[in-house]
Amino acid sequence: MLRSVMGPSHLYKNTGVPEIDEELRKLREETNAEMLRQELEKERQRRLELEQKVNEVLKARMEEVPAAQQPAKPQTQANGTDKRSHTICSRLQKWFCDKFGEYVEDFRFQPEENTVETEEPLSARRLTENMRRLKRGAKPVTNFVKNLSALSDWYSIYTSAIAFIIYMNAVWHGWAIPMFLFLAILRLSLNYLIARGWRIQWSIVPEVSEPMEPPKEDLTVSEKFQLVLDVAQKAQNLFGKMADILEKIKNLFMWVQPEITQKLYITLWAAFIASCFLPYRIIGLAMGLYAGIKFFLIDFIFKRCPRLRAKYDTPYIIWTSLPTDPQLKERSNATVSRRLQTAASRSYVGSSAPTGISKDEDTSRFHTTKRGNFHEVFNLSENERPLAVCENGWRCCLINRDRKMPTDYIRNGVLYVTENYLCFESSKSGSSKRNKVIKLTDITDIQKYKVLSVLPGSGMGIAVSTPSTQKPLVFGAMVHRDEAFETIFNQYVKITSASSSSES
């Protein structure tokens, strides 16, 4: 009665009387319980409705399945093996998945993962260790090459004679390939015995044990610097040899020397025509006999007679006459310098008559450097003065790779070029021993120089080779390197050509 009068529980409020407030609290609790009962009843009704719908759907499917099986029943009875074949197919499919499922999974394409290799920091100890590892790794290859060279040079007459007879006999009977395979198997068998502790030495040339230096724990700064320079020099020489081989092969196929590539072209055509008409057995026999005779006999004679080799050894002549890219560049520069020299000589002859007096007046002038007169600084005659192009000189640093001390290895200063000399003035105060004077006629080679080949551009240095230095002197860090190189090279060509003409 009170509940229907008061209305919903959320409209009940405190009246201030304790008894009435208690009654209102009880009414709120009863009202909440009633709402929960109503919601629970609704959920039960929904569950019953869902169960009825599920039962109806299952009944409808059960009725459809027998109707679909009734027309197919006579067919299954007629065949009598469909059910059995279905089970056999499922078993085969399961067996195939169990056996080959792992291999099928391996053929799934996945995106390629790009991993970036971390580079190790530069360390002197790591550098020496890698050098020794490279030397040990290349030792089997070098020993094999030495043994082949010893066979060709007849270092041991009996060994070379036996090898020559066996090889020619194997080629004549068509056993060359089995012979090489047998030698490979024999080498692996001997390596197995050596790995098990046997002491076997199968080498024509006796091996010389090189003393191994123990690694130093602590290196000074100069020792580390010298170590890096030695490794850089070895890498430079190795890369230079590899580059020469690749450039020669490229120039051979790119018709840089047409008369040489023409021989290769004719040889390839002859080999192609022979392969089309002659049996492969005859071709293999001819090639094998030629290889054996050339390796054991012809090369032995050519190595003992260099003049005969220079005239008749066609492969050697072709390989030595093939130019590299630097040689082609030097030839082009020499051609350009000759043209410039002839043009300059003509202009000089045309203008020498009216300018004789001014030339005498010019000789009376003195060129000065930062420390005094030019001829006094470099101890030269008064006629020697810088050319007009380099009156103020070129700022650079002299790298003397023959010196091991860092203080003498690199010097900053200024480079000058006179008619007969190449002069370097050191910027450090002190005696004139730090200065460098090179006679142009003593220079054996002048090249543009780049400290590291991986750096972009053509570098900022000039390398000058002389008989008095083991390694070329490098004038590096030159801003106007190309201008300096052209000036030095043109003056060098001019002086050398004049001296050669005077001697003749």
Side-chain angles (χ1 to χ4, degrees), residues 49-94:
E49 291 176 357
L50 290 174
E51 288 180 356
Q52 290 178 0
K53 291 181 180 180
V54 170
N55 292 330
E56 291 176 357
V57 171
L58 291 176
K59 287 180 181 180
R61 289 185 178 180
M62 291 296 290
E63 291 176 356
E64 291 176 358
V65 169
Q69 290 179 353
Q70 283 178 1
K73 192 172 182 180
Q75 186 177 359
T76 56
Q77 290 177 357
N79 295 332
T81 58
D82 288 347
K83 189 174 182 179
R84 189 177 300 171
S85 63
H86 180 70
T87 55
I88 292 173
C89 291
S90 62
R91 289 178 182 177
L92 288 174
Q93 185 178 3
K94 184 178 180 182

Side-chain angles (χ1 to χ4, degrees), residues 188-223:
L188 287 175
S189 303
L190 292 176
N191 290 340
Y192 173 75
L193 295 177
I194 293 171
R196 296 299 297 267
W198 291 44
R199 292 184 179 181
I200 300 174
Q201 183 178 359
W202 187 27
S203 177
I204 302 173
V205 182
E207 296 182 1
V208 179
S209 60
E210 298 179 357
M212 296 292 293
E213 297 180 359
K216 296 181 180 180
E217 297 295 333
D218 296 328
L219 296 175
T220 61
V221 176
S222 60
E223 289 176 346

Side-chain angles (χ1 to χ4, degrees), residues 262-274:
Q262 186 178 2
K263 297 179 182 179
L264 175 65
Y265 191 71
I266 296 172
T267 305
L268 291 177
W269 270 111
F272 172 73
I273 295 171

Side-chain angles (χ1 to χ4, degrees), residues 397-435:
C397 62
L398 173 60
I399 303 175
N400 191 352
R401 294 188 292 176
D402 291 339
R403 301 297 180 88
K404 296 184 178 180
M405 295 300 294
T407 54
D408 296 332
Y409 188 81
I410 298 177
R411 300 177 189 171
N412 295 322
V414 183
L415 181 65
Y416 300 92
V417 182
T418 66
E419 292 183 357
N420 299 302
Y421 294 94
L422 188 65
C423 304
F424 175 81
E425 182 184 11
S426 178
S427 59
K428 290 185 178 180
S429 59
S431 63
S432 61
K433 294 182 180 180
R434 294 183 177 272
N435 299 335

Side-chain angles (χ1 to χ4, degrees), residues 342-356:
T342 54
S345 62
R346 290 175 183 174
S347 62
Y348 177 75
V349 170
S351 61
S352 59
T355 57

Side-chain angles (χ1 to χ4, degrees), residues 241-260:
K241 292 178 181 178
M242 294 173 63
D244 290 342
I245 295 171
L246 295 177
E247 287 173 358
K248 285 189 175 185
I249 295 173
K250 180 200 70 171
N251 294 333
L252 175 63
F253 286 93
M254 293 303 294
W255 294 83
V256 175
Q257 293 284 349
E259 63 277 3
I260 297 176

